[in-house]
Amino acid sequence: MTSDYAVKLAAELESASRLRAAQFLVTQRPWLDLYGVNVRPVTPFRSLSKPFVDTALLHRSLPDELLFEIFSRMSPYTLGRAACVCRKWRYTIRNPVFWRHACLKAWQLNGIVENYKILQSTYHGVWRKMWLLRPRLRTDGLYISRNTYIRAGVAEWRTTNPVHIVCYYRYMRFYPSGRFLYKNSSQKVKDVAKYMNVRSARSDSVFSGQYTLSEDKVEAAILYPGLRPTVLRIRLRLRGTVQGANNRMDLISLVTSGVNDAEASSSDDDILGVVEGWQEDETHNPDVPAVSHKRGLTPFVFVPFDEVENSVLNLSVDKMDYFVPG
């Protein structure tokens, strides 16, 4: 009797252990029940065909009004990613309301009337086409230019000649209002992105200036205060690696000039109007000559804020020492 009970108990324990092993190996994915087995194509936006009920549980549980409200709070680039999820989201995101709001915000300096004129004359009244084809400055990240130069070191031995390769970055962040922030630093991207905002002080070496955008040309100016106020004039050309990316800027010219006391006392918000029409070699302070910089003109690369932690620019060292045999 005892031996039969022991055999029965051992069999039950072995069966229970196999069941636990099977539950451990098989991954439970309850969220897969949200998706329908047969998802029919949805009706395109503004279509006159008869509507039908979507079989996907996700779409039946989420009303169209709530889905529209969620999309209206997304950035244009997030909308582009969401459009790849399914057909319904793709057709919903093609609603011109989303792209009209994005375009009017991106080119708010031109005014509503001028934007509507450009829309009708160049882009056939399609806001999404205007967003993809018209050059614009991106405001969801930083434009970064990585520059290097060689500095000779002190020779300690006759057989070696030390050379220092110094690396530094130019950072620019643009706002739709016509304002931008500028900083020169040897710090990495993930460290600088934390204080590249309107609350940053000049103690962080973050300076504010003005810019204008005309087609793909960018004109910018910054006033450096001090005993000898200096204005930095920047001319850039906007381009992109793919259509609508606008993720590159070529640095055409970089000029520093002096300003007189009257111009320096004016507000920073009007510095672009002060230097408007100046020649490249023009200066209004004899103690500060105009200098057109020919070095450090590496093109700018755009890095979104959600990618600053993993950007390849964080991998580069600030300074490298090489010893060249004499």
Side-chain angles (χ1 to χ4, degrees), residues 52-64:
F52 56 89
V53 179
D54 197 340
T55 57
L57 180 59
L58 177 64
H59 296 157
R60 283 185 286 165
S61 304
L62 193 64
D64 292 343

Side-chain angles (χ1 to χ4, degrees), residues 146 169 189 303 307-316:
R146 180 182 181 273
Y169 302 87
V189 183
V303 178
E307 298 179 7
V308 293
E309 293 292 335
N310 302 322
S311 175
V312 295
L313 295 176
N314 293 317
L315 302 178
S316 58

